[in-house]
Amino acid sequence: MTLAPETLAPRPTDLKVQLRLTDDWFTACDLGALLPGRGVAALLPDGGQVALFRGRDGELYAIDNRDPFTGAAVLSRGLTGTHRGRPFVASPLLKQRFDLTTGECLDDEAVRVTAYEVKAA
Amino acid sequence: MTTDTPTIVLVGHGMVGQRFLEALAERGLTDTHRVVVLCEEPRPAYDRVRLTSYFSGETPEDLSLTDLAFLDEQGIELHVGDPAVAVDRDARKVTARSGLVVGYDVLVLATGSYPFVPPVPGKDAEGCFVYRTIEDLLAIEEYATSRATTGAVVGGGLLGLEAAGALKGLGLTSHIVEFAPRLMPVQVDEGGGAALLRTIEGMGLSVHTGVGTQEIVTGEDGAVTGMKLSDGSELATDLVVFSAGVRPRDQLARDCGLAVGERGGITVDEQCRTPTDPRVFAIGECALAADGRVYGLVAPGYEQAETAAATIAAQEASFTGADLSTKLKLLGVDVASFGDAHGTAEDCLDVVYSDSRAGLYKKLVVGRDGTLLGGILVGDAEAYGTLRAFTGSVPPVSPESLVLPAGAGAPARLGPSALPDDAVICSCHNVTKGAVRGAVTEHSCTTVPEVKKCTRAGTGCGSCVKVLGQLVTAELEAGGVEVDKGLCGCFAQTREELYEIVLALRITSYRDLLDRHGREGARGGEGCEVCKPTVGSIIASLAPSIGASGYVLDGEQAALQDTNDHFLANLQKNGSYSVVPRIPGGEIAPEKLIVIGEIARDFGLYTKITGGQRIDMFGARVEQLPVIWARLVDAGFESGHAYGKSLRTVKSCVGQTWCRYGVQDSVRMAIDLELRYRGLRSPHKLKSAVSGCARECAEAQSKDFGVIATAGGWNLYVGGNGGATPRHADLLAQDLSDAELVRLIDRFLMFYIRTADRLERTSTWLERVPGGLDHVRDVVVHDSLGICDELESLMSAHVSHYRDEWAETLDDPGKLARFVSFVNAPDTPDPVVGFVPERDQVKPDLPLLDIGLRRPTEDGRRDDLRDDSRDDLLEGSTRR
Ligand code: SRM
Ligand SMILES: Cc1cc2nc3c(=O)[nH]c(=O)nc-3n(C[C@H](O)[C@H](O)[C@H](O)COP(=O)(O)OP(=O)(O)OC[C@H]3O[C@@H](n4cnc5c(N)ncnc54)[C@H](O)[C@@H]3O)c2cc1C
Ligand code: SF4
Ligand code: FES
């Protein structure tokens, strides 16, 4: 089986990616802006940054964009993958992996980044 | 030194002498004895067998066999440059040239041989040389580079051919004059000689067989101008190297009344002891062994060294004769002979395969009952290790199948696993298959280097290393050591296997590959950060041939790229990027330099000349990349692929155009090569350099593929590496024309891309692949696998489909939209990326970190700035 080409490209859609900040849903971007397997960064109202990802079957994830090991805001630019069923992103700087659903660092359990609730609406 | 410590005096510190010292130490004799060594040459023992490699860049130090620390630890007294001149056997004293007198209890002579120079008139003229020591080589080199354009070697034996190759390497027009009707008369028969002749003439050497040298002709200044040959002709030459055989150096022994053979050689018994005087031993090339032979090879000498040391230690040992098997690489041609190569046994039969067009000749000598007695291999000695080990037994498959070339209907190859345990795998060190297996099973060695260390196998001439590798793998597998060779948790295949799958099935999608060929649990998943870029790179290298897009940011491919490739720039520690335009060969016109300067100034970038002969601009924010590149592309620059596992730079020296020493246009060649291979995705980065002469200002020998100009063309070196584990490149081929050079590099690179592991530089790859350099040379030079056409066409597909990635990206608004810090605020720069001034430029202003090991210290300084704490930092940290 070869995948139909259109499943590779984000389909045009009106859906928006939203994430939960304390009590409100914040609209970050169009769903179409997310390429499966890659992330983007969005600026939050408080000046913080979030990294948004889309899995190959459409699942959405959102974690803090700041790489706690280097301080650089780069997690959105890492490569994603699955490790024992857990979706993760590997920091592009020193390659530590972070669980996309919990924000936990898979290589150092003492480290964790914020994970956000996220949906397409 | 107390007088009651018995003294062993060794005369001669050559290869065998050194081995004798090691054998003494192994037996504890250096603890109980005083050991004194008299060494005639100005340097301690070195590897004479590899002498010629001096001309391919090995230094005398590289050739050394002597570990001075070893001598020191063992308390061995070495007197360099001080030969023994007399032995007084009654007083048991040796006198050296310096006047030093040493008393001995045991005297061991290991004086080797001297080159035989036929007594022709003019043989001592200026410009006449022999080929035995490093000093000989230095003298030849000096004369050849300053006063000669043509050289002739007297003698077409093993050493003669090596010498001729060396002269050719020095840029001389070279002749070989051999009295016998064929080359290498001792080792090969007529058929082998014919195959060899063809190949050697094909390399541009002139061979004159069946003629003797009658006189060396000299000019008015007394220097050689030519030689008269026995057929009445005269050969013009500026330099003559005599290589007409060797004679044992037995003068010292004769002078003190020891028995010598009729045709020379110090007579010894099976314990290597002289029958005349039980206190005196002789070993190596100076000894006439108990079987009546003087051995001119190093392996029998080593055995004699062991025998003598064992005898001195009062252990049982004897040397009754040795195999004359040899495998050599002469001028890049494999030549091997083993066992009864000339078929002297009664009733024996020959099995011959010969293809003189391809320079191949293989002959096996087989007894009536099928016993393999010996053989000769010319042009392809691949099977030597196995065949030699089978000599004396009936091989399990028919002899014909052992000499047919691969692919010519040859049945399954005979692996070393079929060998009996007592088969000798390494003849240099007399290591049996059983011992190699023992190293794996009992001493838990798991790699060839470990087995080498443990058994010494493979540390001599190196011809057995391939078989060694096969044995180690077979043994590990037999032991149930299941080494998961899979690429990562998602794929059980190696990178090489994935490459073959992608090529054969023309798979252009990573997901497709994962879902069909991934490990059970990984199918349908996201993959991981290891296999994604690896597969991305394979698809990119093969793109035009499998019908994938050659543009790495197209479709799904974009999601596979490491962040650097994804943004076509190098991520820096604070989240900014660096920009490196290609500057082919390091040549740049002032106008372009000015453009770079202006761009860097306008965007406030930090600029630095890189170690790769180009300019790096640091500190660009992601959203600045397209604007910067628009200006660069406009000015004619292309991506430098500093971010990719792909061709980086081809450095050059200024070469013939300007430099007084240059012999070729190295800058032009560097530019040509850089433009040819730019954009080629590979398992790891590729670096190259071209030097205009042997002074090597471009450091080509530290590159994945390095090119050095010669008077006759280009020498190609491969497998060099700088970085963490530097490796000198190996010479792959000599005196290539432009077209030959390019063709060979095409094949080499494509073969590497096809078979290397992920993140494996050519240096480690060359060390890892079974058969190493020889195998790679067989494949890419001699096309032993018949894949060169395919390799070349893959490369030409790459070359013709190359497009600059940055130009392509700038043309695609959809792709450009990704170059923003924030998807919801495309115009806002990332506030984390900050800079502070330093030395008139900028540097990253790093945010304070508060996790892991990097806790702030009491005085508020960050821990990571303290040098002594750096080791505790996270592994792989790039912090400087
Ligand atoms: C910029 C430069 C240093 C400089 O300021 O001069 C540089 C910078 C980096 N080098 Fe290098 N290397 C640079 C020349 C070299 C050289 C010299 C050369 O090419 O002649 C070497 C030794 C030669 C060699 O590779 O054999 C070199 C050996 C390495 C290595 C060790 C490779 C190895 O096989 O051991 C690494 C690490 C790696 O690749 O795994 C490395 C990795 C890197 C990385 C990619 C480290 C990283 O991941 O951040 C640096 C990123 C560059 C950037 O952001 O632009 N760099 N690096 C040089 C860029 C050359 C260019 O124009 O492209
Ligand atoms: C170019 C070349 C290529 C070769 N290739 C191969 C090959 O591929 N395979 C192979 O098996 N063999 C090869 N050989 C042969 C191999 O090098 C010799 O068999 C080996 O070196 C013999 O060791 P040795 O110690 O007996 O003699 P040597 O290594 O010659 O050492 C003898 C030493 O004794 C010194 N000496 C002599 N007289 C005195 C004295 N009175 N006092 C003090 N010192 C003295 C000499 O200066 C010399 O340094 C090659 C030889 C050459 C020259
Ligand atoms: S390598 Fe030779 S040609 Fe090139 S600059 Fe150096 S000396 Fe000159
Ligand atoms: S046979 Fe020479 S090293 Fe093994």
Side-chain angles (χ1 to χ4, degrees):
Chain A
M1 180 213 64
T2 352
L3 287 154
E6 69 265 25
T7 59
L8 298 178
R11 257 172 305 223
T13 157
D14 297 337
L15 291 180
K16 304 279 182 205
V17 179
Q18 299 188 317
L19 64 154
R20 194 180 187 103
L21 301 177
T22 40
D23 23 47
D24 284 331
W25 285 95
F26 171 75
T27 300
C29 62
D30 289 346
L31 182 58
L34 276 178
L35 184 74
R38 282 240 86 106
V40 297
L43 196 58
L44 297 178
D46 67 352
Q49 302 184 20
V50 64
L52 302 165
F53 300 90
R54 182 179 182 186
R56 62 183 275 188
D57 298 321
E59 326 79 280
L60 294 176
Y61 308 102
I63 59 170
D64 193 340
N65 192 32
R66 182 103 163 224
D67 171 11
F69 291 92
T70 59
V74 294
L75 289 186
S76 62
R77 303 179 210 163
L79 278 168
T80 58
T82 17
H83 176 71
R84 306 218 166 107
R86 291 169 82 178
F88 69 85
V89 62
S91 165
L93 276 170
L94 304 183
K95 314 287 171 179
Q96 292 89 355
R97 295 164 303 169
F98 297 88
D99 187 316
L100 287 173
T101 47
T102 64
E104 224 176 288
C105 175
L106 300 179
D107 302 293
D108 183 348
E109 47 192 52
V111 180
R112 152 193 300 271
V113 296
T114 315
Y116 297 85
E117 212 182 312
V118 62
K119 68 175 183 189
Chain B
M1 198 57 46
T2 54
T3 43
D4 52 3
T5 313
T7 303
I8 300 173
V9 173
L10 170 68
V11 178
H13 193 221
M15 298 186 73
V16 173
Q18 169 63 19
R19 181 54 178 266
F20 172 73
L21 295 176
E22 287 164 24
L24 286 182
E26 275 162 23
R27 289 172 177 77
L29 290 168
T30 42
D31 297 335
T32 52
H33 290 66
R34 175 184 177 210
V35 180
V36 182
V37 186
L38 297 178
C39 169
E40 177 187 57
E41 292 187 57
R43 63 188 84 240
Y46 53 89
D47 194 344
R48 205 176 303 288
V49 170
R50 293 201 301 124
L51 196 64
T52 306
S53 62
Y54 168 76
F55 290 116
S56 49
E58 300 276 297
T59 61
E61 293 71 47
D62 293 335
L63 292 177
S64 174
L65 288 177
T66 319
D67 180 359
L68 292 177
F70 162 82
L71 298 179
D72 226 38
E73 273 161 29
Q74 303 298 329
I76 295 171
E77 301 163 39
L78 175 68
H79 300 273
V80 175
D82 198 8
V85 290
V87 174
D88 181 343
R89 290 199 291 113
D90 295 331
R92 301 206 322 247
K93 283 192 165 81
V94 184
T95 308
R97 189 170 59 194
S98 65
L100 174 78
V101 177
V102 196
Y104 67 80
D105 295 276
V106 175
L107 174 66
V108 178
L109 301 174
T111 47
S113 305
Y114 65 90
F116 169 69
V117 177
V120 291
K123 69 181 169 59
D124 297 319
E126 202 180 344
C128 289
F129 299 92
V130 294
Y131 199 81
R132 176 92 196 164
T133 64
I134 288 183
E135 273 53 46
D136 292 335
L137 262 53
L138 297 175
I140 291 173
E141 182 182 42
E142 204 204 314
Y143 200 84
T145 46
S146 62
R147 317 191 31 183
T149 56
T150 305
V153 175
V154 177
L158 185 164
L159 297 185
L161 293 185
E162 273 205 35
L167 293 185
K168 180 166 176 277
L170 287 168
L172 304 191
T173 309
S174 310
H175 298 268
I176 301 169
V177 178
E178 167 59 50
F179 186 67
R182 62 169 183 274
L183 292 173
M184 286 187 67
V186 182
Q187 286 82 3
V188 307
D189 61 6
E190 217 180 298
L196 198 60
L197 176 67
R198 216 189 137 77
T199 315
I200 286 180
E201 287 188 331
M203 291 172 181
L205 282 102
S206 310
V207 181
H208 314 259
T209 50
V211 285
T213 306
Q214 281 190 326
E215 189 186 330
I216 306 298
V217 185
T218 53
E220 274 168 16
D221 59 352
V224 174
T225 57
M227 45 204 270
K228 284 199 177 124
L229 305 180
S230 60
D231 61 358
S233 64
E234 197 172 321
L235 185 69
T237 185
D238 312 320
L239 183 157
V240 173
V241 177
F242 287 104
S243 182
V246 294
R247 298 285 183 271
R249 290 188 71 174
D250 54 13
Q251 196 58 45
L252 201 59
R254 286 174 195 267
D255 292 347
C256 68
L258 291 167
V260 295
E262 218 171 283
R263 287 161 58 207
I266 306 164
T267 310
V268 294
D269 62 14
E270 292 187 357
Q271 276 65 48
C272 300
R273 203 192 282 261
T274 63
T276 328
D277 185 339
R279 290 184 183 273
V280 184
F281 291 76
I283 53 178
E285 287 195 343
C286 66
L288 174 65
D291 65 346
R293 288 210 260 189
V294 174
Y295 287 90
L297 293 172
V298 72
Y302 282 173
E303 246 184 274
Q304 294 169 357
E306 297 284 344
T307 304
T311 306
I312 296 166
Q315 296 163 345
E316 283 287 313
S318 62
F319 178 87
T320 53
D323 185 18
L324 286 175
S325 303
T326 29
K327 177 183 168 200
L328 308 149
K329 182 136 266 184
L330 292 168
L331 300 155
V333 189
D334 278 334
V335 179
S337 78
F338 56 96
D340 182 8
H342 291 280
T344 54
E346 215 170 301
D347 261 7
C348 61
L349 305 163
D350 288 355
V351 175
V352 177
Y353 171 83
S354 141
D355 174 356
S356 35
R357 206 169 56 97
L360 286 180
Y361 177 84
K362 302 182 190 181
K363 178 178 94 170
L364 299 186
V365 179
V366 185
R368 278 237 103 95
D369 59 348
T371 307
L372 179 63
L373 297 175
I376 293 169
L377 307 169
V378 176
D380 172 14
E382 177 90 6
Y384 169 74
T386 322
L387 289 174
R388 184 187 58 194
F390 269 117
T391 307
S393 65
V394 182
V397 301
S398 79
E400 295 76 31
S401 64
L402 295 172
V403 291
L404 280 178
R413 292 215 173 189
L414 187 58
S417 47
L419 290 171
D421 259 359
D422 58 1
V424 173
I425 300 299
C426 174
S427 59
C428 285
H429 296 284
N430 204 4
V431 183
T432 61
K433 174 178 169 188
V436 172
R437 291 184 39 198
V440 176
T441 51
E442 278 149 44
H443 303 279
S444 34
C445 300
T446 55
T447 61
V448 172
E450 281 168 25
V451 173
K452 277 184 170 176
K453 219 175 188 164
C454 177
T455 63
R456 276 194 163 173
T459 57
C461 69
S463 68
C464 60
V465 174
K466 179 158 190 178
V467 173
L468 207 56
Q470 291 165 335
L471 274 179
V472 172
T473 317
E475 205 51 44
L476 283 174
E477 274 165 6
V481 182
E482 171 110 44
V483 208
D484 188 339
K485 300 188 189 114
L487 177 66
C488 60
C490 311
F491 287 99
Q493 297 87 344
T494 60
R495 180 192 170 280
E496 178 177 359
E497 288 162 343
L498 290 176
Y499 178 101
E500 295 298 339
I501 294 173
V502 168
L503 177 61
L505 306 180
R506 300 177 166 258
I507 295 177
T508 57
S509 147
Y510 166 81
R511 275 193 203 174
D512 202 11
L513 187 71
L514 180 65
D515 293 353
R516 280 162 62 187
H517 302 278
R519 293 182 199 260
E520 216 43 72
R523 296 185 185 180
E526 297 283 345
C528 76
E529 79 283 16
V530 171
C531 56
K532 276 181 173 175
T534 304
V535 173
S537 158
I538 293 175
I539 293 176
S541 327
L542 288 173
S545 304
I546 56 173
S549 162
Y551 175 44
V552 295
L553 298 187
D554 235 16
E556 185 210 31
Q557 284 195 49
L560 307 178
Q561 309 301 333
D562 261 320
T563 191
N564 285 353
D565 294 76
H566 194 64
F567 289 97
L568 307 173
N570 293 48
L571 182 63
Q572 303 298 316
K573 60 207 299 182
N574 64 347
S576 67
Y577 285 88
S578 79
V579 173
V580 188
R582 189 168 292 293
I583 300 181
E587 182 184 87
I588 183 163
E591 277 312 316
K592 283 193 162 178
L593 271 178
I594 290 169
V595 170
I596 292 184
E598 286 174 347
I599 293 175
R601 183 197 56 209
D602 295 353
F603 290 88
L605 306 175
Y606 167 78
T607 55
K608 179 175 180 304
I609 308 290
T610 72
Q613 293 190 342
R614 50 189 185 175
I615 302 169
D616 202 342
M617 292 172 267
F618 294 83
R621 290 191 173 86
V622 64
E623 63 275 9
Q624 291 176 321
L625 290 173
V627 219
I628 291 173
W629 271 103
R631 282 180 60 179
L632 285 170
V633 168
D634 222 34
F637 285 103
E638 292 189 350
S639 166
H641 295 99
Y643 45 80
K645 299 287 175 258
S646 55
L647 180 80
R648 294 287 166 86
T649 59
V650 181
K651 301 211 252 185
S652 74
C653 78
V654 67
Q656 190 184 37
T657 321
W658 293 89
C659 174
R660 60 187 163 146
Y661 293 120
V663 290
Q664 303 282 352
D665 189 350
S666 46
V667 177
R668 184 199 42 88
M669 181 53 78
I671 295 173
D672 286 355
L673 294 177
E674 183 154 349
L675 295 181
R676 183 169 182 82
Y677 303 117
R678 64 191 157 172
L680 178 67
R681 291 303 203 276
S682 51
H684 206 316
K685 57 194 172 190
L686 289 169
K687 297 182 177 184
S688 178
V690 183
S691 282
C693 83
R695 282 169 194 76
E696 249 283 69
C697 298
E699 300 171 319
Q701 287 170 98
S702 66
K703 297 300 175 202
D704 296 279
F705 57 105
V707 180
I708 301 178
T710 66
W714 308 97
N715 284 356
L716 173 58
Y717 292 80
V718 295
N721 208 158
T725 320
R727 181 180 191 276
H728 246 66
D730 291 311
L731 181 62
L732 184 69
Q734 280 171 290
D735 286 329
L736 303 163
S737 66
D738 287 13
E740 287 168 339
L741 175 71
V742 167
R743 193 170 64 156
L744 208 51
I745 300 175
D746 280 3
R747 293 173 173 186
F748 173 79
L749 291 180
M750 272 299 166
F751 186 52
Y752 159 69
I753 290 174
R754 180 173 205 137
T755 56
D757 262 342
R758 148 184 190 270
L759 297 187
E760 186 175 46
R761 288 288 286 269
T762 56
S763 57
T764 21
W765 169 73
L766 207 55
E767 303 258 325
R768 174 185 62 84
V769 286
L773 177 70
D774 282 350
H775 174 63
V776 170
R777 186 184 285 118
D778 283 345
V779 174
V780 303
V781 182
H782 306 305
D783 199 9
S784 62
L785 299 179
I787 57 170
C788 285
D789 282 348
E790 183 179 354
L791 297 177
E792 285 174 34
S793 77
L794 287 170
M795 186 62 88
S796 69
H798 163 76
V799 173
S800 59
H801 286 78
Y802 167 82
R803 281 201 56 196
D804 174 34
E805 284 163 10
W806 263 111
E808 213 158 3
T809 305
L810 292 170
D811 279 348
D812 184 339
K815 301 284 167 353
L816 282 181
R818 290 185 202 152
F819 290 83
V820 293
S821 289
F822 302 110
V823 64
N824 58 344
D827 300 326
T828 311
D830 176 0
V832 179
V833 176
F835 300 95
V836 290
E838 183 174 72
R839 291 188 300 274
D840 300 333
Q841 301 200 64
V842 296
K843 69 170 185 184
D845 180 18
L846 285 176
L848 277 174
L849 294 169
D850 55 359
I851 61 139
L853 296 159
R854 272 169 262 135
R855 276 166 260 107
T857 51
E858 264 117 314
D859 58 8
R861 276 192 316 147
R862 276 180 299 144
D863 230 10
D864 60 329
L865 295 179
R866 277 204 349 232
D867 267 331
D868 56 358
S869 70
R870 283 190 184 197
D871 288 346
D872 304 337
L873 283 178
L874 296 152
E875 222 191 311
S877 166
T878 51
R879 245 149 234 290
R880 280 156 269 221

